[in-house]
Protein backbone atom coordinates (compact mmCIF):
# COMPACT_ATOMS: atom_id res chain seq x y z
CA UNK A 1 0.00 0.00 0.00
CA UNK A 2 2.84 2.41 0.75
CA UNK A 3 4.34 1.66 -2.68
CA UNK A 4 0.98 2.25 -4.37
CA UNK A 5 0.70 5.63 -2.70
CA UNK A 6 4.22 6.66 -3.71
CA UNK A 7 4.06 5.32 -7.27
CA UNK A 8 0.74 6.90 -8.29
CA UNK A 9 2.07 10.21 -9.61
CA UNK A 10 -1.12 11.85 -10.92
CA UNK A 11 -3.91 13.27 -8.79
CA UNK A 12 -6.60 12.69 -11.46
CA UNK A 13 -6.72 10.52 -14.57
CA UNK A 14 -9.38 11.54 -17.09
CA UNK A 15 -10.56 9.31 -19.94
CA UNK A 16 -10.92 11.85 -22.74
CA UNK A 17 -9.61 12.47 -26.24
CA UNK A 18 -10.42 16.20 -26.08
CA UNK A 19 -7.55 18.56 -26.82
CA UNK A 20 -6.53 21.52 -24.63
CA UNK A 21 -8.96 20.69 -21.83
CA UNK A 22 -6.60 21.91 -19.16
CA UNK A 23 -3.12 21.47 -17.66
CA UNK A 24 -1.88 17.90 -17.73
CA UNK A 25 -0.25 15.23 -19.84
CA UNK A 26 -1.97 13.27 -22.61
CA UNK A 27 -1.45 9.52 -22.92
CA UNK A 28 -2.87 6.63 -24.89
CA UNK A 29 -3.40 3.17 -23.46
CA UNK A 30 -3.22 0.31 -25.97
CA UNK A 31 -4.64 -3.12 -25.22
CA UNK A 32 -2.69 -6.02 -26.74
CA UNK A 33 -2.11 -9.73 -26.17
CA UNK A 34 1.24 -11.25 -25.29
CA UNK A 35 2.47 -14.67 -26.46
CA UNK A 36 0.59 -16.40 -23.62
CA UNK A 37 -2.69 -14.74 -24.58
CA UNK A 38 -2.62 -12.41 -21.56
CA UNK A 39 -3.98 -8.90 -22.04
CA UNK A 40 -1.32 -6.24 -21.46
CA UNK A 41 -1.62 -2.46 -21.07
CA UNK A 42 0.82 -0.31 -23.05
CA UNK A 43 0.92 3.43 -22.35
CA UNK A 44 2.14 5.75 -25.09
CA UNK A 45 3.56 8.82 -23.31
CA UNK A 46 6.08 11.62 -24.05
CA UNK A 47 9.71 11.37 -23.01
CA UNK A 48 10.55 12.66 -19.55
CA UNK A 49 6.93 12.09 -18.60
CA UNK A 50 5.68 13.70 -15.42
CA UNK A 51 3.26 10.91 -14.53
CA UNK A 52 4.73 7.76 -16.12
CA UNK A 53 8.32 6.65 -15.66
CA UNK A 54 9.56 7.17 -19.23
CA UNK A 55 12.79 9.17 -19.38
CA UNK A 56 15.13 9.25 -22.40
CA UNK A 57 13.90 5.80 -23.39
CA UNK A 58 11.76 4.28 -26.11
CA UNK A 59 10.42 1.24 -24.23
CA UNK A 60 10.24 0.82 -20.45
CA UNK A 61 8.65 -1.95 -18.39
CA UNK A 62 7.86 -1.71 -14.70
CA UNK A 63 9.68 -3.87 -12.16
CA UNK A 64 6.35 -5.57 -11.49
CA UNK A 65 6.07 -6.53 -15.18
CA UNK A 66 9.68 -7.76 -15.23
CA UNK A 67 9.20 -9.89 -12.10
CA UNK A 68 5.83 -11.24 -13.16
CA UNK A 69 6.80 -12.25 -16.70
CA UNK A 70 10.59 -12.68 -16.28
CA UNK A 71 11.88 -9.98 -18.66
CA UNK A 72 15.12 -8.02 -18.50
CA UNK A 73 16.77 -5.15 -20.39
CA UNK A 74 17.53 -6.11 -23.99
CA UNK A 75 14.73 -8.67 -24.23
CA UNK A 76 12.04 -8.31 -26.87
CA UNK A 77 8.36 -8.22 -25.96
CA UNK A 78 6.04 -9.60 -28.63
CA UNK A 79 2.49 -8.26 -28.54
CA UNK A 80 -0.48 -8.92 -30.78
CA UNK A 81 -3.14 -6.55 -32.12
CA UNK A 82 -6.46 -7.85 -30.79
CA UNK A 83 -8.31 -6.91 -33.99
CA UNK A 84 -5.92 -7.71 -36.86
CA UNK A 85 -3.87 -10.45 -35.13
CA UNK A 86 -0.72 -8.64 -36.29
CA UNK A 87 2.35 -9.03 -34.06
CA UNK A 88 4.63 -6.23 -32.91
CA UNK A 89 8.04 -6.53 -31.25
CA UNK A 90 9.54 -4.04 -28.76
CA UNK A 91 13.06 -4.09 -27.27
CA UNK A 92 13.19 -3.22 -23.58
CA UNK A 93 15.48 -0.23 -22.88
CA UNK A 94 14.99 0.07 -19.12
CA UNK A 95 13.14 -1.39 -16.13
CA UNK A 96 11.28 1.14 -14.00
CA UNK A 97 11.41 0.60 -10.20
CA UNK A 98 7.59 0.66 -10.03
CA UNK A 99 6.42 -2.46 -8.15
CA UNK A 100 2.62 -2.12 -7.94
CA UNK A 101 1.50 -2.28 -11.60
CA UNK A 102 2.76 -4.45 -14.46
CA UNK A 103 2.73 -2.03 -17.38
CA UNK A 104 4.70 -1.12 -20.51
CA UNK A 105 5.56 2.49 -21.42
CA UNK A 106 6.50 3.48 -25.00
CA UNK A 107 7.64 6.83 -26.37
CA UNK A 108 4.79 8.51 -28.23
CA UNK A 109 6.74 9.82 -31.26
CA UNK A 110 8.55 6.54 -31.90
CA UNK A 111 5.31 4.55 -32.08
CA UNK A 112 2.80 6.93 -33.65
CA UNK A 113 1.72 4.19 -36.05
CA UNK A 114 0.20 2.25 -33.15
CA UNK A 115 -2.49 4.89 -32.72
CA UNK A 116 -3.81 4.06 -36.19
CA UNK A 117 -3.47 0.28 -36.02
CA UNK A 118 -4.20 -0.77 -32.43
CA UNK A 119 -7.34 -0.04 -30.33
CA UNK A 120 -6.59 2.50 -27.62
CA UNK A 121 -8.11 4.71 -24.96
CA UNK A 122 -7.07 8.36 -24.57
CA UNK A 123 -6.29 9.74 -21.13
CA UNK A 124 -5.26 12.99 -19.52
CA UNK A 125 -3.22 12.80 -16.31
CA UNK A 126 -3.21 15.95 -14.20
CA UNK A 127 -2.82 17.30 -10.70
CA UNK A 128 -5.83 19.57 -11.13
CA UNK A 129 -9.52 18.66 -11.00
CA UNK A 130 -11.10 19.75 -14.29
CA UNK A 131 -14.63 20.54 -13.18
CA UNK A 132 -15.54 22.18 -16.51
CA UNK A 133 -15.46 18.83 -18.34
CA UNK A 134 -18.81 17.80 -16.87
CA UNK A 135 -20.09 14.59 -15.30
CA UNK A 136 -20.08 12.71 -18.62
CA UNK A 137 -16.26 12.52 -18.60
CA UNK A 138 -14.95 9.50 -16.72
CA UNK A 139 -12.05 9.97 -14.34
CA UNK A 140 -10.40 8.33 -11.36
CA UNK A 141 -8.54 10.05 -8.58
CA UNK A 142 -5.32 9.03 -6.87
CA UNK A 143 -7.22 8.77 -3.57
CA UNK A 144 -9.76 6.38 -5.13
CA UNK A 145 -6.92 4.15 -6.33
CA UNK A 146 -5.39 4.08 -2.85
CA UNK A 147 -8.80 3.48 -1.19
CA UNK A 148 -9.50 0.65 -3.62
CA UNK A 149 -6.16 -0.93 -2.72
CA UNK A 150 -6.95 -0.62 0.98
CA UNK A 151 -10.34 -2.31 0.46
CA UNK A 152 -8.73 -5.19 -1.42
CA UNK A 153 -6.09 -5.48 1.30
CA UNK A 154 -8.77 -5.71 3.99
CA UNK A 155 -10.54 -8.49 2.07
CA UNK A 156 -7.25 -10.38 1.73
CA UNK A 157 -6.53 -9.99 5.45
CA UNK A 158 -9.97 -11.37 6.35
CA UNK A 159 -9.55 -14.33 4.02
CA UNK A 160 -6.05 -15.09 5.26
CA UNK A 161 -7.18 -14.90 8.89
CA UNK A 162 -9.95 -17.39 8.14
CA UNK A 163 -7.51 -19.71 6.35
CA UNK A 164 -5.04 -19.48 9.24
CA UNK A 165 -7.70 -20.42 11.79
CA UNK A 166 -8.64 -23.48 9.71
CA UNK A 167 -4.96 -24.38 9.27
CA UNK A 168 -4.33 -24.21 13.03
CA UNK A 169 -7.32 -26.42 13.82
CA UNK A 170 -6.32 -28.94 11.14
CA UNK A 171 -2.74 -29.01 12.41
CA UNK A 172 -3.84 -29.64 16.00
CA UNK A 173 -6.16 -32.49 14.98
CA UNK A 174 -3.58 -34.08 12.67
CA UNK A 175 -0.76 -33.73 15.19
CA UNK A 176 -2.82 -35.28 17.98
CA UNK A 177 -3.82 -38.15 15.69
CA UNK A 178 -0.23 -38.69 14.57
CA UNK A 179 1.19 -38.84 18.10
CA UNK A 180 -1.60 -41.18 19.19
CA UNK A 181 -1.00 -43.41 16.15
CA UNK A 182 2.75 -43.60 16.84
CA UNK A 183 2.13 -44.51 20.46
CA UNK A 184 -0.40 -47.25 19.75
CA UNK A 185 1.52 -48.81 16.85
CA UNK A 186 4.80 -48.87 18.77
CA UNK A 187 3.40 -49.90 22.14
CA UNK A 188 4.59 -53.52 21.85
CA UNK A 189 8.10 -52.49 20.79
CA UNK A 190 8.29 -49.98 23.65
CA UNK A 191 7.19 -52.67 26.07
CA UNK A 192 9.91 -55.03 24.76
CA UNK A 193 12.54 -52.32 25.08
CA UNK A 194 11.42 -51.51 28.62
CA UNK A 195 11.60 -55.17 29.65
CA UNK A 196 15.04 -55.38 28.00
CA UNK A 197 16.32 -52.72 30.40
CA UNK A 198 15.90 -49.47 28.53
CA UNK A 199 14.64 -46.51 30.55
CA UNK A 200 11.47 -44.64 29.59
CA UNK A 201 13.60 -41.63 28.70
CA UNK A 202 15.64 -43.70 26.28
CA UNK A 203 12.45 -45.16 24.81
CA UNK A 204 11.07 -41.66 24.25
CA UNK A 205 14.27 -40.56 22.50
CA UNK A 206 14.18 -43.64 20.27
CA UNK A 207 10.66 -42.84 19.06
CA UNK A 208 10.73 -39.03 18.99
CA UNK A 209 14.37 -37.91 19.01
CA UNK A 210 14.90 -38.39 15.26
CA UNK A 211 11.30 -37.38 14.52
CA UNK A 212 11.84 -34.03 16.25
CA UNK A 213 14.88 -33.31 14.07
CA UNK A 214 12.93 -34.20 10.93
CA UNK A 215 10.03 -32.04 12.11
CA UNK A 216 12.32 -29.02 12.48
CA UNK A 217 14.01 -29.59 9.09
CA UNK A 218 10.76 -30.07 7.15
CA UNK A 219 9.14 -27.08 8.85
CA UNK A 220 12.03 -24.90 7.63
CA UNK A 221 11.83 -26.37 4.12
CA UNK A 222 8.07 -25.87 3.86
CA UNK A 223 8.46 -22.21 4.86
CA UNK A 224 10.54 -21.52 1.76
CA UNK A 225 8.39 -23.76 -0.46
CA UNK A 226 5.38 -21.84 0.84
CA UNK A 227 6.80 -18.58 -0.52
CA UNK A 228 7.06 -20.13 -4.00
CA UNK A 229 3.51 -21.47 -3.78
CA UNK A 230 2.16 -18.09 -2.65
CA UNK A 231 3.94 -16.38 -5.57
CA UNK A 232 2.40 -18.86 -8.05
CA UNK A 233 -1.01 -18.52 -6.37
CA UNK A 234 -1.00 -14.72 -6.60
CA UNK A 235 0.23 -14.74 -10.20
CA UNK A 236 -2.51 -17.14 -11.24
CA UNK A 237 -5.36 -15.21 -9.63
CA UNK A 238 -4.03 -11.84 -10.83
CA UNK A 239 -2.58 -12.63 -14.28
CA UNK A 240 -5.34 -10.67 -16.04
CA UNK A 241 -4.85 -7.63 -13.79
CA UNK A 242 -2.13 -5.00 -14.02
CA UNK A 243 -1.66 -4.97 -10.26
CA UNK A 244 1.20 -6.89 -8.72
CA UNK A 245 1.72 -8.15 -5.18
CA UNK A 246 5.21 -8.62 -3.77
CA UNK A 247 5.93 -11.66 -1.61
CA UNK A 248 8.12 -10.44 1.21
CA UNK A 249 9.49 -12.57 4.04
CA UNK A 250 11.56 -11.71 7.08
CA UNK A 251 13.33 -13.55 9.87
CA UNK A 252 10.55 -12.44 12.23
CA UNK A 253 7.90 -14.10 10.03
CA UNK A 254 10.00 -17.23 9.80
CA UNK A 255 10.55 -17.31 13.57
CA UNK A 256 6.84 -16.86 14.37
CA UNK A 257 5.53 -19.48 11.95
CA UNK A 258 8.24 -22.03 12.69
CA UNK A 259 8.01 -21.61 16.46
CA UNK A 260 4.23 -21.94 16.39
CA UNK A 261 4.27 -25.15 14.36
CA UNK A 262 7.02 -26.71 16.46
CA UNK A 263 5.32 -25.66 19.72
CA UNK A 264 2.18 -27.59 18.76
CA UNK A 265 4.33 -30.60 17.91
CA UNK A 266 6.27 -30.38 21.20
CA UNK A 267 3.02 -29.96 23.16
CA UNK A 268 1.79 -33.35 21.99
CA UNK A 269 5.22 -34.90 22.49
CA UNK A 270 5.05 -33.74 26.12
CA UNK A 271 1.61 -35.36 26.46
CA UNK A 272 3.10 -38.56 25.08
CA UNK A 273 5.96 -38.29 27.55
CA UNK A 274 3.56 -37.94 30.49
CA UNK A 275 1.58 -40.93 29.31
CA UNK A 276 4.78 -42.93 28.92
CA UNK A 277 5.88 -42.09 32.47
CA UNK A 278 2.57 -43.42 33.82
CA UNK A 279 2.78 -46.59 31.70
CA UNK A 280 3.61 -49.79 33.62
CA UNK A 281 3.79 -51.95 30.43
CA UNK A 282 1.67 -54.78 31.78
Amino acid sequence: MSNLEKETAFTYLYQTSMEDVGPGEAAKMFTMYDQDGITQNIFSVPKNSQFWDLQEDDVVITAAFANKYHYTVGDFIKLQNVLTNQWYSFEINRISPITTVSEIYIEVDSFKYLAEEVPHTSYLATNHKLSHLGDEVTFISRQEIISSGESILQIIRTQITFILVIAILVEIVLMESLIKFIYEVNFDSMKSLYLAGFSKKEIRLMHFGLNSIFAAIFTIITFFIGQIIVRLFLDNIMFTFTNYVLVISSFRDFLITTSFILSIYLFFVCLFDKKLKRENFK
Side-chain angles (χ1 to χ4, degrees), residues 67-86:
N67 291 331
K68 192 171 183 179
Y69 302 111
H70 310 294
Y71 282 99
T72 188
V73 173
D75 289 346
F76 284 85
I77 301 174
K78 292 184 178 180
L79 300 170
Q80 185 183 34
N81 187 332
V82 295
L83 295 181
T84 65
N85 294 325
Q86 182 178 353

Side-chain angles (χ1 to χ4, degrees), residues 35-242:
Q35 291 175 294
D36 295 320
I38 301 173
T39 304
Q40 301 295 348
N41 292 335
I42 305 97
F43 284 88
S44 175
V45 297
K47 284 188 176 181
N48 298 311
S49 170
Q50 180 182 356
F51 300 106
W52 288 273
D53 188 15
L54 188 77
Q55 300 170 10
E56 294 297 322
D57 317 287
D58 287 332
V59 178
V60 173
I61 62 173
T62 62
F65 187 96
N67 291 331
K68 192 171 183 179
Y69 302 111
H70 310 294
Y71 282 99
T72 188
V73 173
D75 289 346
F76 284 85
I77 301 174
K78 292 184 178 180
L79 300 170
Q80 185 183 34
N81 187 332
V82 295
L83 295 181
T84 65
N85 294 325
Q86 182 178 353
W87 286 91
Y88 301 86
S89 182
F90 307 101
E91 183 180 3
I92 300 170
N93 303 134
R94 186 172 58 86
I95 297 176
S96 166
I98 294 175
T99 60
T100 51
V101 288
S102 55
E103 295 175 339
I104 304 168
Y105 308 137
I106 60 175
E107 200 276 318
V108 60
D109 292 330
S110 300
F111 300 95
K112 283 185 176 179
Y113 66 90
L114 284 179
E116 301 176 358
E117 300 179 3
V118 181
H120 65 272
T121 304
S122 297
Y123 288 101
L124 178 73
T126 177
N127 287 328
H128 305 277
K129 188 169 185 179
L130 308 177
S131 55
H132 65 280
L133 292 180
D135 296 335
E136 67 278 3
V137 176
T138 304
F139 74 93
I140 187 170
S141 69
R142 178 174 179 269
Q143 188 55 48
E144 287 174 326
I145 293 174
I146 296 171
S147 298
S148 175
E150 290 173 345
S151 298
I152 294 173
L153 183 62
Q154 185 57 47
I155 293 172
I156 292 174
R157 283 174 174 163
T158 302
Q159 292 174 334
I160 290 179
T161 301
F162 181 69
I163 292 172
L164 283 174
V165 170
I166 294 176
I168 291 170
L169 294 175
V170 170
E171 182 185 359
I172 291 173
V173 172
L174 289 178
M175 199 70 73
E176 192 273 339
S177 300
L178 176 64
I179 301 297
K180 183 178 180 181
F181 174 79
I182 292 174
Y183 187 89
E184 292 177 351
V185 169
N186 293 284
F187 180 80
D188 290 337
S189 64
M190 289 188 292
K191 181 178 180 180
S192 299
L193 290 171
Y194 183 75
L195 295 175
F198 288 94
S199 67
K200 291 182 179 180
K201 180 179 179 180
E202 290 172 326
I203 294 172
R204 183 191 67 224
L205 291 175
M206 288 178 188
H207 285 85
F208 284 97
L210 187 60
N211 288 354
S212 299
I213 296 174
F214 280 133
I217 292 174
F218 283 115
T219 299
I220 294 171
I221 291 174
T222 52
F223 174 81
F224 293 104
I225 293 176
Q227 293 185 79
I228 298 172
I229 294 174
V230 170
R231 175 74 271 152
L232 294 174
F233 171 76
L234 291 173
D235 284 346
N236 275 278
I237 65 173
M238 300 187 73
F239 75 97
T240 58
F241 296 90
T242 60

